[in-house]
Every structure is written in C-alpha cells, then in structure tokens.
C-alpha cells in the first residue's frame, strides 16, 4: 500500500487556497477525482503480484524479468517522487496531477500492448515516473478543496483506500481468469483507462485552479539523475545477479552505488548552501530518531513487498493455483490490514510507538503460524490453511501503516516535516524495490529450475519456507529498530 504524500508549503509565504478557508462548492466531486488518481497507483502497485505467472507464460522471458515488472515500477516511483512534489509547487497541483494522470493512462495502454518482457518493463518504469508526478499532489488538493473541513475528506479517503487494497488483487485475479475478449493479463492494465479518464474529466472540472507558484528554487534535475542512478545501481545487480551467476560487474555496481549516493547527498548540501531548493533537506538526517525511521521504513516495506510477491508466485508456480484462486487465498491478508488500520487509527494517540511494536509482534506471530502450516500441511496446503496466519500478519501490518510516518517525524522541526515526509515516501518505494529484489532472489534461488514447464511442489514449498523465515527475521529487526523511534506520534 502506498500512502499519498503531502508536499511542503511554498516558500514564498503565500497562503494556499484551502488554508483556513471555506470548503469549495464541488469538493466531493473533486475528491472523487483525487481518489481515482490514487487508485491508479494502488492497483498498479499490487496487480502484477497476481498476474506475474500469466505474464511470463504469454511473453516469456526470465524470472528476473518477473521481478523487474514489479520492482521497475516502485524504483521509478522512488526516484521521481521528490521531483513530483516540487513540480506541484512550481506549476500548480491541479495541472500537474492531470498531466500525471493522462500520462499514466497512456502508459497503462502501453503495458497492455507490450509484446515482450523488455517492452513491458519499460512501460512499467514509465508508469512509475507518471505516478510520481501524480500522487504527491493529492493531500494538498484535498486541503485546498475542503479548507477547515479537511477531516471530513479523510474520514472517507482512508476507508476507500483500504477497500481498494482488499479488492485490488481479487479484481486482478478475476480479470486474468475471465480472459475478457482474449485480453488475459492485459486487462489488469486496460482497466486503468476508464479510471484515468474519470480522473481527468472530473478533475479538470472540479479541482481548484492554482493561484500561486514557487519557481524560485528551480528544479533539481541533476539531483534526480544522481539519486536515480545510485538507486538503480543498488537494485539492478540484486535482481539480475543470481540469474547470471553474480558476475564481477554486478558486485562492482553494488559497491559503486555507495559513492554515487554520497555524491547525491553532497549535491543536495551544495544546492542548499547556494539558496536553491533541494530535493531533500539533509538536515532531517541529523535527528537520530528520523535516521532510525528511514532504516525502519526500508526494512518494513521491503519485507512486505518481497513477501507478497513470493507468496503469490508460490501459490501459482508451485501449487498450480489460478490467478483468481491465488488472490482469494491471500485475501485474508488484506482484510486483516483493513481491520488493523482501523484499530490503530482509533488508538495511535494513546498508544504512540507501542502500536508499532504490537503490530510487529502480530506480524511475527502470523509468519510463525504460516511456517508451522507449511511444515504440517506440506504441499497439500490450501487457501483455508493460509487464512488465519495471513489475517494475523495483515492485521499487524495495518496497525503500522497509519501512525508510522507521524511517529517518525515527531522529533524533527516543523519546517522540516514536509521534506522529511517526502523522503520517507521515496524510501518506502526504494524499500519495496529492494524487498522484491532480495526476497525474489531468495525464492527463485531455492525453487530451482522447472521440469517440463512446471516447478516441483516440494521445491516451491521449501522456497516459500525460506522466504517466510527471512521475512520473520526482517520483521524482528524492525521491532528492534522501532525502539529508537519517538514515543509519541506528531500532533496535528
């Protein structure tokens, strides 16, 4: 699940349209357009986990290409999110959101008409870049629409996002299995077209026009290129290395990512000293709690993204589930996440950091139960065996989603909150890419080569057990890191 990102206020001191103002007359219609744009990102963050085996059966390609179909989207999103937020400040949130939604819709069609794994991966990367332009505008536009009634919007926004998280994989499974008009897996991208068109038509009519812009600091294209290069050098060898036997160049890329990311940090410092707007205010990293939060986000979201992909692959490649059967078998995970999010929303003010520890304990308990199910049921494991463990895991995960960013930014200065939150969102996507790369590599390394086009069920079970154990270890590491976070969430 990807949280919507609020960009910081323009530095000019100009008041935003919604700051303390009366709500706009067509605010609910405008909110529906923002929700539609948000749903585009949410759906495309998860649907490939369900459709990946069907995609490979049609297009062919290596198993690392499957990982890239998921990781390419989140990596591009991570690279460009900070720039997307800055574009909203410079040119206005409505035109930037509409441009992003239009480009995202076009790229969805490109994904649907992909003729090879490479063309699909390229279109997915372009989708991620478009999402990075579109998504950061949401919270600011909601504030502009609702003014002092912003809380009413979020009372609806949260449950709708939670429901989409539950139904997204199920709808993807239905579309792939239904094979409407012979489209097969391509329907999971074509379904974006009516949603995108709705966001464009309604958004153009109901979203508030920009009244001011802040272009004084310019756009940091060099920073985006350096950050993107460093992240790509980190993720690429992790995805490709196993399949190619870990050649020397893959290790060199991994090592080289460190100085490139250091050069990115140096560039941000120099830009700040010159009075120009950086992509990232590095002063937030001087706060130990915030630095620990960055590590927590990397580990937590990496574990979730990698485990989700590996579980879907295990059910389809290892046990022969259809996409719909696999999505239904995993649906208790999303139901648990929805319930956990509701619980933490009601208790986070009272429990503070303890809600994170409670959620992580439930996640570890769910993973332990899942491992026990694998041991007991073996290759006869079915959807009902998975229901309770995944429900427990999802409930714990959901408890963490709501308060996490507010807890992490609790210890930084007010003027750093916008930049700090934006950086966390980007780190979240980078963590997801790393999780897919690392846990996907573990899964395919353990499952071995297919025989007669199919994987042996015992090998797939062993791969699933290894990924489950590693996910539990990562979750335990996050539990320890959470002790370094602030005790209370930031007050709003």
């Amino acid at each position: 699940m990807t949280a919507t990102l609020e960009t910081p206020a323009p530095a000019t001191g100009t008041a935003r349209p919604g700051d303390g103002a009366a709500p706009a007359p067509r605010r609910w219609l405008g909110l529906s357009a923002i929700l539609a744009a948000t749903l585009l990102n949410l759906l495309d963050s998860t649907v490939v986990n369900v459709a990946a085996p069907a995609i490979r059966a049609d297009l062919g390609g290596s198993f690392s290409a499957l990982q890239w179909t998921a990781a390419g989207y989140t990596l591009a999103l991570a690279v460009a999110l900070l720039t997307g937020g800055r574009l909203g400040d410079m040119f206005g949130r409505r035109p930037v959101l509409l441009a992003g939604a239009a480009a995202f819709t076009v790229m969805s069609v490109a994904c649907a008409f992909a003729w090879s794994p490479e063309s699909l991966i390229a279109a997915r990367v372009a989708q991620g870049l478009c999402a990075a332009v579109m998504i950061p505008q949401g919270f600011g536009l909601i504030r502009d629409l609702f003014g002092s009634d912003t809380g009413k919007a979020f009372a609806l926004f949260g449950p709708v996002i939670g429901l989409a998280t539950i139904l997204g994989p199920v709808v993807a499974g239905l579309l792939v299995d239904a094979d409407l008009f012979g489209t097969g897996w391509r329907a999971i991208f074509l379904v974006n077209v009516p949603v995108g068109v709705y966001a464009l038509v309604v958004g153009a009519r109901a979203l508030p026009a920009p009244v001011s812009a802040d272009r004084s600091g310019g756009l940091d294209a060099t920073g985006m290129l350096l950050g993107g290069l460093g992240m790509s050098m980190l993720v690429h060898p992790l995805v490709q290395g196993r399949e190619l036997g870990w050649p020397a160049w893959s290790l060199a890329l991994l090592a080289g990512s460190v100085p490139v990311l250091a050069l990115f940090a140096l560039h941000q410092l120099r830009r700040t000293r010159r009075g120009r707007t950086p992509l990232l205010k590095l002063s937030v990293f001087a706060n130990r709690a915030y630095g620990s939060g960055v590590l927590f986000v990397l580990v937590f979201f990496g574990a979730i993204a990698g485990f989700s992909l590996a579980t879907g692959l295990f059910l389809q490649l290892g046990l022969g589930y259809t996409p719909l059967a696999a999505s239904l078998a995993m649906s208790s995970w999303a139901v648990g996440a929805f319930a956990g999010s509701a619980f933490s929303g009601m208790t986070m003010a009272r429990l503070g950091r303890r809600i994170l520890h409670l959620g992580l304990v439930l996640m570890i308990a769910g993973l332990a139960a899942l491992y026990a199910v694998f041991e007991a049921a073996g290759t006869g494991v079915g959807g009902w065996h998975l229901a309770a463990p995944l429900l427990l895991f999802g409930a714990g995960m959901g408890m963490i989603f709501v308060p996490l960013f507010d807890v992490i930014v609790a210890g930084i200065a007010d003027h750093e909150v916008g930049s700090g939150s934006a950086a966390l969102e980007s780190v979240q996507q980078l963590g997801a890419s790393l999780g897919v790369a690392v846990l996907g590599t573990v899964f395919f390394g353990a499952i071995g080569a297919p025989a007669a086009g199919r994987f042996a069920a015992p090998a797939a079970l062993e791969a699933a057990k290894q990924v489950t154990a590693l996910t539990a270890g990562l979750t335990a590491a996050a539990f320890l890191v959470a002790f370094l976070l602030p005790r209370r969430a930031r007050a709003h």
Side-chain angles (χ1 to χ4, degrees):
M1 177 179 180
T2 305
T4 310
L5 173 65
E6 181 174 8
T7 56
T12 58
T14 304
R16 294 184 180 98
D19 289 346
R26 291 188 289 186
R27 58 191 182 278
W28 293 108
L29 193 62
L31 178 64
S32 71
I34 297 169
L35 280 170
T38 305
L39 288 176
L40 288 173
N41 173 55
L42 283 174
L43 291 173
D44 276 63
S45 296
T46 58
V47 291
V48 169
N49 292 349
V50 174
I55 292 173
R56 184 173 184 271
D58 182 25
L59 298 182
S62 65
F63 290 109
S64 63
L66 282 187
Q67 292 171 262
W68 274 119
T69 306
Y73 180 89
T74 54
L75 181 60
L77 190 54
V79 168
L81 261 174
L82 297 173
T83 301
R86 179 68 185 138
L87 287 171
D89 286 342
M90 293 178 67
F91 301 104
R93 295 190 182 92
R94 185 182 75 173
V96 172
L97 182 141
L98 294 178
F104 191 100
T105 304
V106 171
M107 287 302 104
S108 296
V109 175
C111 287
F113 285 93
W115 61 91
S116 67
E118 294 77 16
S119 63
L120 177 59
I121 292 167
R124 286 284 288 168
V125 169
Q127 262 193 324
L129 294 174
C130 297
V133 171
M134 174 176 65
I135 293 304
Q137 320 312 326
F139 274 9
L141 282 168
I142 290 174
R143 184 193 50 244
D144 293 345
L145 283 168
F146 284 82
S148 56
D149 286 341
T150 299
K152 293 181 180 179
F154 287 110
L156 174 65
F157 196 87
V160 170
I161 296 303
L163 187 61
T165 304
I166 294 173
L167 295 180
V170 176
V171 171
L174 278 169
L175 289 172
V176 176
D177 274 11
D179 192 23
L180 298 173
F181 306 108
T183 55
W185 61 268
R186 300 174 191 273
I188 68 172
F189 297 111
L190 291 174
V191 76
N192 290 342
V193 174
V195 180
V197 169
Y198 180 88
L200 287 169
V201 173
V202 175
R205 295 189 57 183
L207 293 178
V211 296
S212 63
D214 173 27
R215 304 183 187 180
S216 57
L219 186 65
D220 187 7
T222 301
M224 180 180 170
L225 290 174
L226 285 173
L229 178 61
M231 292 181 193
S232 300
M233 290 172 67
L234 181 62
V235 174
H236 185 270
L238 293 175
V239 174
Q240 296 289 154
R242 180 203 60 83
E243 197 164 86
L244 300 177
W246 298 106
W249 64 260
S250 66
L251 302 178
L253 277 182
L254 274 175
S257 67
V258 176
V260 172
L261 290 172
L263 188 60
F264 166 78
L266 182 62
H267 173 74
Q268 296 302 291
L269 285 173
R270 286 177 176 172
R271 193 173 174 87
T272 302
R273 289 168 184 162
R274 293 171 183 169
R276 307 194 71 188
T277 304
L279 285 178
L280 182 62
K281 292 181 180 177
L282 295 179
S283 58
V284 296
F285 291 91
N287 183 284
R288 189 194 69 170
Y290 182 85
S292 302
V294 169
L295 177 60
F296 184 97
V297 167
L298 273 174
V299 174
F300 175 72
F301 285 100
I304 291 171
F307 179 68
S308 173
L309 177 65
T311 304
L313 292 174
F314 163 65
L315 292 174
Q316 294 185 64
L317 297 180
L319 301 185
Y321 279 40
T322 65
L324 177 59
S327 61
L328 290 175
M330 297 172 64
S331 61
S332 63
W333 180 347
V335 173
F338 185 72
S341 297
F343 175 80
S344 65
M346 294 184 290
T347 60
M348 62 178 284
R350 185 173 75 255
L351 295 179
R353 186 180 69 190
R354 287 176 292 176
I355 194 72
L356 303 183
H357 280 121
L358 177 59
L360 291 165
V361 167
L362 288 180
M363 288 175 65
I364 293 172
L367 291 166
L370 183 63
Y371 195 94
V373 164
F374 288 153
E375 288 281 359
T379 56
V381 65
W384 287 110
H385 294 103
L386 304 179
L390 292 182
L391 181 71
L392 199 60
F393 180 85
M397 183 186 75
M399 287 182 188
I400 297 169
F401 275 152
V402 175
L404 178 58
F405 281 22
D406 284 339
V407 169
I408 293 173
V409 302
I412 63 177
D414 289 345
H415 70 277
E416 295 175 328
V417 170
S419 179
S421 299
L424 287 175
E425 182 76 12
S426 187
V427 168
Q428 174 187 333
Q429 302 303 327
L430 175 60
S433 297
L434 288 171
V436 167
V438 173
L439 294 182
T441 295
V442 170
F443 180 84
F444 285 117
I447 200 172
R454 292 201 57 177
F455 289 97
L461 179 66
E462 180 58 31
K465 287 165 63 177
Q466 288 190 24
V467 169
T468 301
L470 182 54
T471 305
L474 291 171
T475 308
F479 183 91
L480 296 176
V481 173
F483 283 109
L484 301 175
L485 303 181
R487 293 180 179 274
R488 295 287 173 188
R490 191 178 194 89
H492 292 280

